[in-house]
Amino acid sequence: MSKIVTRFAPSPTGHLHIGGARTAIFSWLLARHYGGEFYLRIEDTDLQRSKQEYTDSILASMRWLGLDWEGEPVYQTRRMDLYRQYVEKLLQSGNAYWCSCTSEEVDAMREKAKQLGQKPRYNGHCRDLGLGPGPGHCVRLKIPHEGKIVFDDMVKGRIAVDVGELDDMVIQRADGTPTYNMAVVVDDHEMGITHVLRGDDHVSNTPRQILIYQALGLPVPTFGHVPMILGNDRQKLSKRHGARAVIEYESDGLLPQALVSYLARLGWSHGDQELFSRQEMIDFFDGKNLNPAPAAFDPAKLEWCNAHFMRQLPLEELASQVRPFLERAGFAKISKERLLPLCVMFRERANNLAALAESFRPLLVPAAELACSEKDAKKQFTLKGRDHLEKLKAILAKTEPFDAASTDAALNAYVADNNLKFKEVAPPLRTALMGFMGGSHLNEIMDFLGRDETLARIERAIGMCPE
Ligand code: GLU
Ligand code: ZN
């Protein structure tokens, strides 16, 4: 097989959303699977709505997702001369013509066609007039009078469209700019694209683009139109469904590998495997098994997926990934020696990096600043609770060395010697140390806090108990 070349072609009119991200992932995977090339093209010809900040944001999201591309991104606005050259070729070969019809005239033709029960279309008025360029003149493609455009879509299977359904479309506007379909064909050809994967909102453009390829005598790439991602209620996906821009997932503390694995599964399958490493996706994604039915976005499953990847991450990497979130939570200067045990204690309990960083908070603030749950304090800081805390305080003051093993032994001895149950003793201690009934193993917490901080927290809790 010859080399597979794909691209992702976002319009920089907003941040990268999960629908676009999934299209990008598929295109990237197809190229990587076959050892091909993947390019990025910024479709910025809509000058009103395109913004540099969105281009920057899309590129940043692509990098964050790990979707690397070949060379520099191609910007359509920098290629206007190229598009004009191709339009010129079509004029020269008689496959395109100048049209002087005003938009009112074209509207009237469309209206008339509708009244005749036909598709609204341009009636070919200028097709054989032999007009040249002039103010207000656009260029139209001279399409065949009859025939079928047939292509085998990678997702939807065979698609056939009657040429009679189409009309002599504009390829260059009166202001000299190319229309969307013209620019895309020129770019995809010039960039050597062999496989075009895109959202199925573009499927009706494809027969028009194929007509342009044919008129230019160029090979037609393979197309694949990926269905939309819907919300859980099968409605058009929106914020309401918990869908967010890729940069928002980043700041929520999702791992990029989790988002990539989750999105790849939306509309693609490999047996019933749910979670994929990057390499597995590259190995398995061969462009088949793409589902023509729209997939539904499930935020809970994404979170589950993220929790899985967080658990898989080597400890040191998890620590360095959580650091920016810790800084954001106000803990800038935590040494690695302190950060690693925090990650060990809490990694199983958090579903994203932001939540993980936040779960460290009770162990990082000084005793006096520890937030205390009113509900848990009321339940645990009782007369009985006070008694346990006072005795534990005396024991822990003398426990040597003050580490996880000996604090554990001390705690167990206190329970056994006094004929108590662990679940009578642990809750008041836990609430004293964490400020609420959560956290990790008590001995690990105490080991992390050290003796002084442990005793200070117990002391403070005793002060909150009735006398
Ligand atoms: N710029 C188009 C979009 O964002 C992509 C079109 C294409 O991939 O051909 O929907
Ligand atoms: Zn005309």
Side-chain angles (χ1 to χ4, degrees), residues 97-101 106 109 122 124-127 131 140:
Y97 59 91
W98 291 97
C99 162
S100 63
C101 298
V106 175
M109 293 171 200
Y122 174 71
H125 177 266
C126 304
R127 191 171 161 115
L131 296 174
R140 288 182 181 273

Side-chain angles (χ1 to χ4, degrees), residues 7 9-11 41 43 180 184 188 196-198 201-202 209:
R7 52 40 164 208
S11 306
R41 179 167 77 230
E43 303 207 320
Y180 163 74
V184 166
D188 283 337
V196 173
L197 280 172
R198 59 184 166 206
D201 48 331
H202 288 287
Q209 292 179 14

Side-chain angles (χ1 to χ4, degrees), residues 315 318 339-348 360 440 444:
L315 192 61
L318 181 65
L339 187 49
L340 292 180
L342 286 172
C343 289
V344 172
M345 279 189 275
F346 291 97
R347 69 183 306 174
E348 301 285 328
F360 301 164
S440 175
E444 288 176 9

